[in-house]
Amino acid sequence: MKYFLYLFLLLGIVSCTNEEDLKSNIEYSNEFTIVDNPNDSVTHERYLIYKEYGVPVYFNDTISQVQTGTNHKGEPILSYERVDLNWTFFGYNHGIKYTYTYLTNPAEQMQALRFVRKYLEQASRPMRPFSIMLADTLTVASSSRTDRPIYHVGYRTLVFAQIKNLTGEDTINAQIKEVIKNMVSDRVKVNTDVCARFADLGTTNNWYYRTWETLGNCPTVVSTQKMSWTLSVNALFNEPPFSTFDNEDLVMLLLKDRQGVGPYVNSETEALTIRQNIIDEMGQYGFIRGWKQSGSFTPNNDTEDRDFYIQAILHLGERGFKKRYGHLSKVMEKYQYLASFIQGELEIDLDYDNSNE
């Protein structure tokens, strides 16, 4: 019975409350403990990471094998504990198949472990996964598509792939930030109370997936986008949460010479005024960006809207976000729901200003 309860907990089926109740009654086996081998540099580094952060790191999906008996021929019967990525924060996904090629070169394994150490240094305690798997490649296949992502956030296992191809401090840090953003989004999504409070403003007023014209009172947004499809509300800044056209933000695009026709505006002051007007016009409805497929619409739904906010909060920090949006009451109301959870429950420090304004 104890064995089945352990598997039940391991697979993440039980609720958080039940898991906390069972912790004092269930004794974990040593299957997830990394044992030191000073003569093997890779194993020794795995042990040091485990000792410092409590996170076991693996190079294949078979975590352990245990002999449970013998068959009629006297041969051992083995039970295997494997990584199962089909378990998510929201249940078991039968429709996806995960396959790997393993990372076997010791030098590449050490390079991947250095990446893991950098990740764990930057991740807050609640953001550290139960375990990490390092693969050469990861393939995620469904009935409609096949992807080979650099990382995958599972319920109990975080997988990193193609780490040997990441070089340069900036590239590594950017990838780590992307992973943390994805994990924060998952953690927030599980908290239905936070999500409901965040979504209330837009869903109650039917403000999602509307053109700015039908929403009303957005003259600068509408007139600017009619000038050119490149002058989108999603090009406000050359930084998150906006995507820009050819790495040029709205101010640069407004001032850019149009093949001898001249710029759309005559001064940087005028361009900055347009940018601020657009922020204010969107912000009166609690939005900081338009639909990712077309800035002519408001965000598609509260999930997309929430992801924009999370990206902006993590990039800008508390002071940077307030500097840009602090005068917009509806934006700040939605910000507070997310920031309180991110700082309190996830223990992520937002006390910085990365607005670059």
Side-chain angles (χ1 to χ4, degrees):
M1 182 64 180
K2 181 179 178 182
Y3 175 74
F4 287 107
L5 281 174
Y6 169 69
L7 283 181
F8 199 52
L9 177 63
L10 175 64
L11 294 175
I13 301 175
V14 297
S15 69
C16 295
T17 302
N18 289 338
E19 184 172 342
E20 291 171 359
D21 293 341
L22 289 170
K23 278 182 180 177
S24 59
N25 299 322
I26 294 179
E27 181 181 347
Y28 284 91
S29 70
N30 63 358
E31 293 176 349
F32 297 93
T33 301
I34 303 299
V35 180
D36 192 16
N37 181 357
N39 298 318
D40 184 321
S41 59
V42 173
T43 301
H44 183 60
E45 178 61 15
R46 289 173 62 218
Y47 168 75
L48 292 177
I49 290 173
Y50 177 78
K51 183 179 179 182
E52 186 170 353
Y53 297 102
V55 179
V57 182
Y58 306 101
F59 287 104
N60 60 64
D61 64 339
T62 302
I63 295 171
S64 66
Q65 63 179 30
V66 178
Q67 182 174 344
T68 59
T70 56
N71 61 20
H72 66 283
K73 296 181 180 180
E75 299 169 336
I77 299 174
L78 300 177
S79 174
Y80 296 93
E81 184 65 56
R82 287 190 170 93
V83 169
D84 188 350
L85 298 183
N86 291 93
W87 281 107
T88 73
F89 288 90
F90 314 101
Y92 196 83
N93 191 336
H94 292 274
I96 298 180
K97 182 179 180 180
Y98 299 91
T99 55
Y100 325 90
T101 58
Y102 294 134
L103 197 61
T104 58
N105 182 286
E108 293 175 347
Q109 289 180 336
M110 286 298 293
Q111 182 176 338
L113 287 171
R114 284 192 288 271
F115 179 90
V116 168
R117 182 173 284 279
K118 284 182 177 292
Y119 164 78
L120 292 174
E121 286 173 354
Q122 296 186 35
S124 64
R125 181 190 54 79
M127 298 301 295
R128 295 172 190 163
F130 178 79
S131 62
I132 292 176
M133 177 180 165
L134 298 172
D136 190 9
T137 62
L138 167 65
T139 302
V140 182
S142 66
S143 58
S144 59
R145 59 185 295 174
T146 298
D147 295 313
R148 292 179 176 80
I150 292 178
Y151 69 94
H152 172 81
V153 180
Y155 181 75
R156 294 180 70 84
T157 304
L158 171 61
V159 181
F160 289 117
Q162 307 174 51
I163 300 303
K164 65 181 183 181
N165 300 324
L166 295 180
T167 59
E169 199 73 17
D170 291 343
T171 303
I172 290 173
N173 287 332
Q175 186 61 66
I176 290 172
K177 289 179 180 178
E178 173 65 21
V179 174
I180 291 176
K181 179 186 74 67
N182 187 295
M183 294 182 75
V184 169
S185 180
D186 282 342
R187 299 296 196 280
V188 172
K189 197 180 300 182
V190 173
N191 192 308
T192 55
D193 180 55
V194 171
C195 291
R197 285 186 292 160
F198 177 89
D200 182 64
L201 186 67
T203 53
T204 301
N205 294 283
N206 192 29
W207 286 343
Y208 286 120
Y209 199 58
R210 297 269 300 275
T211 63
W212 300 104
E213 290 96 330
T214 60
L215 203 59
N217 200 25
C218 298
T220 313
V221 172
V222 174
S223 62
T224 304
Q225 290 185 139
K226 286 182 177 179
M227 294 181 188
S228 169
W229 67 271
T230 63
L231 300 176
S232 167
V233 298
N234 295 346
L236 283 173
F237 294 93
N238 187 12
E239 59 185 44
F242 307 97
S243 49
T244 59
F245 180 73
D246 286 347
N247 293 318
E248 295 175 310
D249 70 15
L250 183 66
V251 171
M252 297 170 66
L253 289 168
L254 287 168
L255 292 169
K256 188 176 182 180
D257 183 75
R258 294 171 292 152
Q259 298 179 342
V261 178
Y264 287 100
V265 297
N266 297 318
S267 68
E268 183 177 358
T269 300
E270 187 178 353
L272 289 170
T273 299
I274 290 175
R275 172 197 276 172
Q276 189 60 55
N277 287 345
I278 291 176
I279 290 174
D280 293 347
E281 289 172 15
M282 291 195 302
Q284 67 186 314
Y285 299 103
F287 297 129
I288 61 173
R289 212 193 109 153
W291 181 37
K292 64 182 179 181
Q293 299 296 333
S294 170
S296 299
F297 291 77
T298 64
N300 188 47
N301 51 41
D302 60 288
T303 299
E304 184 179 68
D305 188 22
R306 189 175 63 243
D307 283 340
F308 293 156
Y309 266 78
I310 290 172
Q311 189 176 18
I313 290 169
L314 295 179
H315 177 78
L316 296 172
E318 182 174 30
R319 284 176 285 155
F321 194 96
K322 289 180 177 179
K323 181 190 294 185
R324 185 185 290 179
Y325 303 110
H327 62 293
L328 299 166
S329 60
K330 288 184 174 61
V331 170
M332 294 310 299
E333 180 183 350
K334 292 165 71 174
Y335 163 86
Q336 198 58 51
Y337 296 141
L338 297 178
S340 295
F341 179 78
I342 292 171
Q343 290 177 301
E345 297 297 322
L346 303 184
E347 299 179 12
I348 294 177
D349 182 15
L350 298 176
D351 186 23
Y352 54 89
D353 179 357
N354 192 33
S355 59
N356 298 319
E357 294 180 47

